[in-house]
Amino acid sequence: MPTPPTAGSAPRAPRPSRRSVLAAMAAAVPAAGLPVLSGRASAASAAGALPGGGDLGPNVLVFDPATPNIQGTLDEIFKRQESAQFGEGRFALLFKPGTYRGLNAQIGFYTSIAGLGLSPGDTTFHGDVTVDAGWFNGNATQNFWRSAENLTLHPVNGTNRWAVAQAAPFRRMHIKGGLNLAPDGYGWASGGYIADSRIDGSVAPYSQQQWYTRDSSVGGWNNAVWNMVFSGVEGAPAQSFPDPPYTTLDTTPVSREKPFLYLDGADYKVFLPEKRTNARGTTWGSGTPRGESLPLGQFYVAKPGVDAATLNAALAQGLNLLLTPGIYHLDGPVEVRRPNTVVLGLGYPTLVPANGATAMKVADVDGVRLAGFLIDAGPVNSATLLEVGPEGASADHAANPTTVQDVFIRIGGAGPGKATTSMVINSNHTLIDHTWVWRADHGDGVGWEMNRADYGVRVNGDDVLATGLFVEHFNRYDVEWRGERGRTVFFQNEKAYDAPNQAAIQNGDIKGYAAYKIADGVTAHEGWGLGSYCYYNVDPTIRQDHGFQAPAKPGVKLHHLLVVSLGGKGQYEHVINSIGAPTSGTSTVPSTVVSYP
């Protein structure tokens, strides 16, 4: 029981013919019988009625090398979470600094595993952290909502397997060996995201349709299917899009790594990495990472059952928020108004707004950090689910931007949900670093009007940068960019599968809404490695004019675009505007444009 806290060669897989669209699997088994653990807080409470620090709750499990039967506990949690795609179980598995031997931590839905050191080398596994797809007959395209962070691994057979799809970040990891991104048997896979990591051996994506790797180091990269994007990655393959489809940027324009919980002696703290410009390689490879630490006493440690008023009272007192694993039903928005506020989730805490509320609103202030949580739309339509900055926000945040990292949004799937626009970015200079904004195509409460969600991400602010933008299945525009000088490094999209007919998606005289639309008035925008796929399985005769729409202006530049018809279910006429060859037939071969204009 945990104690309270004081590659080898393999054949290249064939290209997948389409992404799976099967229904969700069984819900989670209730978590009864797992050990209840408390977190040790730093000593002082913040001034005011609500204390800082405190208990980390029953679903944060903390291990040290002397903990008995670690493998048994890991196996029990995996058993509960392996196929619980839309279940309510949520877990964070935290490992104190030290060396652990003989472990295979299999990671299921809504499960995060992380080391509690300041650097990955502080917590070492002679073993594996594994994601496979046995629960789904070897198909990894639904291995969502799980994460690994801040560990060093010595894989047992020399290669660690991390066969994931969207919303499954791999951060601050050091693999002393290779990394295999495909499931056993090389079945379909649709991921994924790596940041601030070092893989000493080669990364083998095999069947992965797309992947984004940022500010890392790799010993090699073996192959690609449709869209592999690298920025600031030492050892990345050379630029070669479209054959093979590698998009390689030497550096990342701006980055700031995700905050993380760690132990300083017996005290929990949250480390806030500093902002980097033109970044390359990891933040921790040259010693202690640069940034600042906050004691846990400066956080309100929230648990499921707390209401929005209490969270807002904690924020008004000057506390940050640490959201522990579970489901949070909110009768109003969480209001983040103070500069430099941190809202950090552990183990996929999930915010569900009631009565059409917005789940979270951020003021137009410097340096807010949102990280590591999921927002689930409620059954009453919300105008928005996440707002960064109010409408008309105009302040300059270049020196200290707001970051949105591993923040995921879901409309439907776990039950009925509706939202007009899921994520709205109004504040200038915001960094969106890895998000999956998803109108569900399977699960409960799914249908063209049942989980209606017209717009995925709308960017009104200027100088916004997105690194790792996954947005799928919206009824109209998936991404609508209105701000100036926006930049996107890697975009993955699927248009809504369930459009009933051509008329349902007609956009004036345009057939279909673009996956990524840059507003007509924008004069400067740039993007790299952008892909849109269609799979109109309800009406395969649907035609989509293009995946991308952009004004013809000298400052609007897009690099390495592709559209794909999955198995011939619907077709694109062009890639961007009226440029690019149509998709055709059932061969699932991308149509590409290397540069626009």
Side-chain angles (χ1 to χ4, degrees):
M1 174 184 291
T3 56
T6 55
S9 62
R12 177 170 174 172
R15 295 188 178 191
S17 61
R18 67 177 177 87
R19 182 172 174 187
S20 171
V21 284
L22 299 179
M25 303 301 284
V29 177
L34 287 174
V36 176
L37 304 174
S38 61
R40 177 171 174 174
S42 31
S45 295
L50 293 169
D55 189 299
L56 294 180
N59 291 331
V60 176
L61 281 67
V62 181
F63 305 86
D64 65 41
T67 301
N69 195 25
I70 296 175
Q71 187 66 56
T73 303
L74 297 176
D75 290 347
E76 175 65 18
I77 292 172
F78 179 65
K79 180 181 177 181
R80 298 177 188 278
Q81 299 303 112
E82 180 183 13
S83 60
Q85 182 171 178
F86 298 111
E88 295 189 355
R90 304 285 189 273
F91 294 95
L93 311 175
L94 307 182
F95 287 78
K96 293 182 179 182
T99 299
Y100 300 78
R101 299 184 182 277
L103 295 182
N104 180 18
Q106 298 185 79
I107 306 301
F109 285 101
Y110 312 110
T111 304
S112 297
I113 187 169
L116 285 170
L118 190 56
S119 294
D122 296 337
T123 308
T124 297
F125 279 22
H126 289 266
D128 296 81
V129 172
T130 301
V131 177
D132 206 345
W135 74 278
F136 204 38
N137 300 313
N139 179 343
T141 60
Q142 292 182 21
N143 281 348
F144 313 135
W145 305 305
R146 63 200 75 201
S147 66
E149 186 172 351
N150 207 26
L151 296 165
T152 291
L153 305 182
H154 295 260
V156 168
N157 69 356
T159 300
N160 191 77
R161 185 185 303 278
W162 186 254
V164 297
Q166 289 77 7
F170 198 78
R171 291 183 179 269
R172 296 176 56 78
M173 296 288 286
H174 186 183
I175 310 301
K176 296 206 169 183
L179 184 63
N180 182 351
L181 303 179
D184 187 27
Y186 306 100
W188 296 338
S190 181
Y193 176 91
I194 293 171
D196 200 25
S197 294
R198 177 177 173 181
I199 295 89
D200 292 347
S202 289
V203 179
Y206 298 116
S207 54
Q208 282 287 355
Q209 295 165 353
Q210 68 280 316
W211 199 277
Y212 175 52
T213 307
R214 178 181 64 71
D215 298 352
S216 294
S217 174
V218 299
W221 193 277
N222 284 354
N223 69 283
V225 176
W226 294 334
N227 189 30
M228 299 288 166
V229 179
F230 309 83
S231 67
V233 177
E234 297 167 346
Q239 171 65 50
S240 58
F241 186 92
D243 188 21
Y246 295 138
T247 294
T248 302
L249 283 68
D250 191 56
T251 61
T252 303
V254 184
S255 61
R256 189 169 68 188
E257 299 303 328
K258 173 183 169 289
F260 61 92
L261 188 70
Y262 76 103
L263 277 171
D264 183 4
D267 296 324
Y268 281 104
K269 294 182 178 179
V270 173
F271 189 76
L272 308 178
E274 70 175 11
K275 187 188 75 166
R276 298 198 291 170
T277 57
N278 298 318
R280 182 171 173 83
T282 68
T283 61
W284 47 268
S286 301
T288 303
R290 297 173 63 89
E292 62 176 316
S293 293
L294 299 178
L296 193 64
Q298 293 183 18
F299 287 78
Y300 177 70
V301 180
K303 300 181 181 67
V306 70
D307 59 12
T310 302
L311 296 173
N312 287 329
L315 291 168
Q317 286 178 204
L319 293 171
N320 304 289
L321 298 180
L322 185 72
L323 305 175
T324 64
I327 313 294
Y328 295 73
H329 293 278
L330 304 175
D331 56 359
V334 178
E335 302 266 9
V336 181
R337 299 175 177 174
R338 192 182 72 255
N340 302 310
T341 300
V342 180
V343 180
L344 175 62
L346 302 178
Y348 285 85
T350 303
L351 311 182
V352 186
N355 303 318
T358 298
M360 186 173 292
K361 295 183 178 182
V362 180
D364 192 25
V365 295
D366 271 359
V368 172
R369 304 188 195 219
L370 310 179
F373 56 90
L374 172 65
I375 298 174
D376 235 339
V380 178
N381 185 74
S382 294
T384 59
L385 292 171
L386 173 64
E387 296 179 15
V388 177
E391 186 175 353
S394 59
D396 186 316
H397 304 294
N400 187 13
T402 286
T403 50
V404 180
Q405 299 178 283
D406 301 348
V407 173
F408 309 117
I409 295 179
R410 178 173 65 191
I411 302 93
K418 293 184 178 182
T420 303
T421 307
S422 293
M423 180 185 294
V424 180
I425 306 295
N426 291 316
S427 288
N428 299 330
H429 302 99
T430 299
L431 300 180
I432 307 169
D433 177 43
H434 190 226
T435 189
W436 185 37
V437 182
W438 184 56
R439 175 182 166 266
D441 61 271
H442 62 269
D444 293 332
V446 171
W448 182 250
E449 296 294 345
M450 193 176 302
N451 63 329
R452 181 86 193 186
D454 282 350
Y455 308 104
V457 175
R458 178 174 288 156
V459 179
N460 296 317
D462 294 336
D463 301 288
V464 171
L465 171 64
T467 52
L469 186 60
F470 299 75
V471 188
E472 296 189 301
H473 304 309
F474 286 84
N475 296 77
R476 294 188 175 178
Y477 296 121
D478 298 274
V479 172
E480 188 178 14
W481 209 294
R482 298 172 172 178
E484 289 287 355
R485 297 176 300 281
R487 291 176 290 182
T488 295
V489 184
F490 181 89
F491 170 67
Q492 186 266 330
N493 165 264
E494 289 178 355
K495 295 301 300 174
Y497 293 166
D498 55 346
N501 49 51
Q502 188 76 47
I505 64 164
Q506 194 67 20
N507 180 14
D509 60 355
I510 298 173
K511 288 179 285 197
Y513 288 80
Y516 189 104
K517 175 181 167 61
I518 303 166
D520 293 344
V522 170
T523 61
H525 187 96
E526 195 159 12
W528 297 263
L530 315 176
S532 177
Y533 320 152
C534 74
Y535 184 76
Y536 288 116
N537 62 331
V538 175
D539 181 359
T541 69
I542 289 176
R543 312 292 293 192
Q544 175 91 17
D545 263 350
H546 43 239
F548 302 89
Q549 185 177 347
K553 297 180 180 177
V556 176
K557 302 175 182 178
L558 300 175
H559 315 277
H560 311 153
L561 311 172
L562 68 143
V563 295
V564 183
S565 169
L566 303 181
K569 304 292 187 183
Q571 302 290 344
Y572 291 92
E573 305 281 12
H574 304 284
V575 179
I576 178 168
N577 300 345
S578 59
I579 300 168
T583 57
S584 61
T586 59
S587 57
T588 314
V589 173
S591 177
T592 62
V593 168
V594 173
S595 183
Y596 171 85

